[in-house]
Amino acid sequence: MTQEHQILAMPGMTVENLRAKCATCSMHQLCLPMGLDMGDMDKLDQIIGRRRKVVRGGTLFRIGDPFTNLYAIRLGHFKTYQINANGSEQVTGFQMAGELLGMDAISADRHHCSAEALEDSEVCEIPFSSLEQLLRDMPTLLRHFHRMMSQEITREQSVMLLLGNMQATQRFAAFLVNLASRYEARGYSATAFQLRMSREEIGNYLGLTIESISRLLAKFKKEGLIRVSNREIEVLNPTKLKAITAGTEVCN
Amino acid sequence: MTQEHQILAMPGMTVENLRAKCATCSMHQLCLPMGLDMGDMDKLDQIIGRRRKVVRGGTLFRIGDPFTNLYAIRLGHFKTYQINANGSEQVTGFQMAGELLGMDAISADRHHCSAEALEDSEVCEIPFSSLEQLLRDMPTLLRHFHRMMSQEITREQSVMLLLGNMQATQRFAAFLVNLASRYEARGYSATAFQLRMSREEIGNYLGLTIESISRLLAKFKKEGLIRVSNREIEVLNPTKLKAITAGTEVCN
DNA sequence: CGTCCGGTTGAAAGGAGTCAACTAGCGTGG
DNA sequence: CCACGCTAGTTGACTCCTTTCAACCGGACG
């Protein structure tokens, strides 16, 4: 059952309603499966601020910016990164349409990372103070918001696992498997997709160098696991890729 | 200004009140500086469940356990860890008195990591459903809760940075500096403390082997940065340790 | 007194990084 | 339209940091 089907299984939900709502803001895509009814959705609509386009390479927010909004990605891809004390970057994540940005900023009212668009993108601004007010009257939304924050925590924990005790091959396999499953959850192909980020950004995220990524790509290609052409990826053997990720298959 | 001073600067707060409240649950220590008044504190008291003692080596919760409670550490130290698909552990954090455990479980109603006591410890159970109910009526608490979740996100991001682009020496320095600052924030010495975790657990957390930790300890000792005796640590040169953490000082 | 466990130290091995040369694709401007 | 230069990516050779393997130490405990 795809996410769309889950959404349509909601009481009172029609394809037209769904289209109309989802067109407004990806926050709806996030909220619909959680049991929000149409009345709740309308209230949510009212607090959602303006849409904002961000061109490829443009920044949505920077480290240190005062925190006022969360951002729901409507369209496109982003990366978030931190800057080390010595000036070096660390990519902390890649986000796609339907995901929420800026939750790390709540703790200190300042953004702790920067967000940059990997392609021309569009977001909805969600003024956090309005959202928090709304959360008080809408238990379902409150619950959902907490789930989203918690999900971000678990996501980061799995990256810690990746960086903490996986070898290069396993890390890269895990990266591809993760991307594939996220595209699949959004109704796109899990076996053919485009990398929106550069080799350098992938390497930075995985704690590897650009050369290592290049070599791993070549290796997977040689072993018949994937087909690669520039940033175009086709997964030929998802099972084995998952086995490598799990550490079942020892890759040499 | 220490945390205790901040707390005492709150209107209507006396040393006795503070003692009484903090004795009940470390959640109060967390909440007091955030502007909760005494009435709010009492309401919080009412939902806080039983205290629970966990002996050294005992587990508070395990991966896969159904999620019902958050836990505020009253006393002692814990570690949280995940299990990889191939069965290997990854320590995701060390928690001390005054910190909150279990927030990663909200997203899927199951715990995503296990929590084990590093010494005889005590926690307060906070039934999450009651807490969420209370959050609706107490904007200050709601805000505070969101801050705590967000703080966990930023904490993990800094671990990602540590694992993603720091060398062994820098990682270990960062680990010590982080511990020191947390003890300081709790009113303990920032220069002399005891490691509650084994070399193995430190290594696992930092993505290094037990031997590497041992060597780094010896190295820092030789360079006059610290004094070590078993698990007793004394920081002799905090400035240089911070410089190594920051990557300013290149350590050889 | 022997054994076990946590920790230390040394020597060798290996995986990823660094350095460097090279290729391909793409936009610009003559 | 082609040449040029720029950027992103690839590939090879070598280096180095951390791991691995192994021996050893010392305190706790039965």
Side-chain angles (χ1 to χ4, degrees):
Chain A
M1 188 146 126
T2 68
Q3 198 182 5
E4 191 177 347
H5 289 132
Q6 281 175 38
I7 296 169
L8 287 172
M10 294 300 306
M13 181 56 63
T14 66
V15 179
E16 296 76 55
N17 271 338
L18 177 63
R19 285 257 168 71
K21 290 299 177 187
C22 289
T24 315
C25 171
S26 70
M27 184 81 180
H28 290 127
Q29 291 168 28
L30 297 166
C31 295
L32 278 166
M34 300 300 299
L36 258 69
D37 63 32
M38 295 308 286
D40 284 352
M41 296 300 287
D42 288 337
K43 284 188 207 148
L44 187 55
D45 274 339
Q46 286 162 24
I47 68 146
I48 298 221
R50 66 191 179 92
R51 289 196 210 168
R52 187 167 145 194
K53 295 194 182 204
V54 187
V55 297
R56 177 194 169 103
T59 55
L60 183 58
F61 52 77
R62 256 178 247 276
I63 300 174
D65 282 357
F67 169 62
T68 46
N69 300 308
L70 292 175
Y71 300 93
I73 306 176
R74 256 178 59 71
L75 211 88
H77 285 73
F78 284 82
K79 70 166 176 181
T80 48
Y81 59 94
Q82 281 190 295
I83 306 278
N84 205 341
N86 61 26
S88 61
E89 277 186 23
Q90 168 69 33
V91 173
T92 51
F94 299 110
Q95 295 80 19
M96 48 181 77
E99 295 177 335
L100 204 57
L101 277 170
M103 289 182 288
D104 59 279
I106 298 170
S107 68
D109 285 320
R110 303 218 155 262
H111 286 282
H112 280 259
C113 62
S114 301
E116 183 182 318
L118 296 173
E119 59 187 328
D120 291 357
S121 303
E122 205 176 317
V123 299
C124 280
E125 286 183 352
I126 306 173
F128 183 63
S129 54
S130 315
L131 178 64
E132 214 167 29
Q133 202 121 18
L134 198 61
L135 291 178
R136 283 190 244 157
D137 308 323
M138 294 170 56
T140 336
L141 187 61
L142 180 66
R143 192 67 208 269
H144 180 55
F145 180 63
H146 290 161
R147 275 179 202 272
M148 285 199 292
M149 290 202 85
S150 175
Q151 204 160 40
E152 179 65 14
I153 291 173
T154 60
R155 181 192 75 79
E156 285 176 5
Q157 280 179 357
S158 58
V159 177
M160 286 173 64
L161 193 136
L162 182 145
L163 293 171
N165 69 30
M166 286 187 188
Q167 304 271 55
T169 314
Q170 207 179 349
R171 289 187 203 183
F172 189 59
F175 170 73
L176 291 177
V177 168
N178 175 265
L179 274 188
S181 76
R182 284 156 76 195
Y183 282 125
E184 189 172 30
R186 276 158 189 76
Y188 298 109
S189 167
T191 54
F193 49 87
Q194 204 200 115
L195 299 173
R196 319 295 164 123
M197 63 296 281
S198 67
R199 307 284 193 265
E200 182 158 22
E201 287 161 335
I202 298 172
N204 187 311
Y205 175 62
L206 297 176
L208 300 170
T209 57
I210 181 172
E211 291 96 333
S212 292
I213 300 300
S214 198
R215 279 186 251 270
L216 286 165
L217 232 17
K219 183 178 154 191
F220 282 0
K221 194 172 170 181
K222 204 177 98 192
E223 289 171 1
L225 293 174
I226 57 173
R227 215 195 302 272
V228 194
S229 165
N230 297 320
R231 296 193 175 183
E232 221 62 50
I233 295 280
E234 190 181 346
V235 179
L236 301 174
N237 193 340
T239 315
K240 191 163 178 193
L241 213 55
K242 275 172 204 147
I244 295 171
T245 301
T248 320
E249 183 92 20
V250 179
C251 203
N252 42 1
Chain B
M1 187 148 129
T2 69
Q3 197 183 6
E4 191 177 348
H5 288 133
Q6 283 175 36
I7 295 169
L8 286 172
M10 294 298 307
M13 183 55 63
T14 67
V15 179
E16 297 76 56
N17 272 337
L18 177 62
R19 286 257 167 70
K21 289 299 176 188
C22 288
T24 316
C25 171
S26 71
M27 184 81 179
H28 292 126
Q29 291 167 28
L30 297 166
C31 295
L32 278 165
M34 301 301 297
L36 258 68
D37 63 33
M38 295 308 285
D40 284 352
M41 296 300 286
D42 288 337
K43 283 188 208 150
L44 187 55
D45 274 339
Q46 287 162 22
I47 70 146
I48 297 216
R50 66 190 180 94
R51 289 195 210 168
R52 187 167 146 193
K53 295 197 182 201
V54 188
V55 298
R56 177 194 171 104
T59 54
L60 184 58
F61 51 78
R62 254 179 248 278
I63 301 174
D65 282 357
F67 169 62
T68 46
N69 300 307
L70 293 175
Y71 300 93
I73 305 176
R74 257 179 57 70
L75 211 87
H77 284 72
F78 284 81
K79 71 166 176 180
T80 48
Y81 59 95
Q82 280 191 295
I83 307 278
N84 205 341
N86 60 26
S88 61
E89 277 186 21
Q90 168 69 34
V91 173
T92 51
F94 298 110
Q95 295 80 19
M96 49 180 75
E99 294 177 335
L100 203 57
L101 277 170
M103 289 182 288
D104 59 280
I106 299 170
S107 67
D109 284 320
R110 303 218 155 262
H111 285 281
H112 280 259
C113 62
S114 301
E116 183 183 318
L118 296 173
E119 59 186 328
D120 290 357
S121 303
E122 207 177 318
V123 299
C124 280
E125 285 182 354
I126 306 173
F128 183 63
S129 55
S130 315
L131 179 64
E132 215 167 28
Q133 202 120 19
L134 198 62
L135 291 176
R136 284 191 243 156
D137 308 323
M138 294 171 55
T140 336
L141 187 60
L142 180 67
R143 193 66 208 269
H144 180 55
F145 180 63
H146 291 160
R147 276 180 202 272
M148 285 199 290
M149 292 202 84
S150 173
Q151 204 160 39
E152 178 65 14
I153 291 173
T154 60
R155 182 192 75 79
E156 285 176 4
Q157 279 180 358
S158 58
V159 177
M160 286 173 64
L161 193 137
L162 181 145
L163 293 172
N165 70 30
M166 287 187 188
Q167 304 272 54
T169 314
Q170 207 179 348
R171 288 186 203 185
F172 189 60
F175 170 73
L176 291 177
V177 168
N178 175 265
L179 274 188
S181 77
R182 282 156 77 195
Y183 282 123
E184 189 172 30
R186 278 157 187 74
Y188 298 109
S189 168
T191 54
F193 50 86
Q194 202 199 117
L195 299 174
R196 318 295 165 122
M197 62 297 281
S198 68
R199 307 282 193 267
E200 183 157 21
E201 287 162 335
I202 299 172
N204 187 310
Y205 176 62
L206 297 176
L208 301 170
T209 58
I210 181 172
E211 293 95 332
S212 292
I213 301 301
S214 198
R215 279 186 251 269
L216 286 165
L217 233 17
K219 183 178 155 191
F220 282 0
K221 195 172 169 180
K222 203 177 99 192
E223 289 171 359
L225 292 173
I226 58 172
R227 216 194 303 271
V228 195
S229 165
N230 297 318
R231 295 193 176 184
E232 220 62 51
I233 295 280
E234 191 181 345
V235 179
L236 300 173
N237 193 340
T239 316
K240 191 164 177 193
L241 212 55
K242 276 173 204 146
I244 294 171
T245 301
T248 320
E249 182 92 20
V250 179
C251 203
N252 43 2

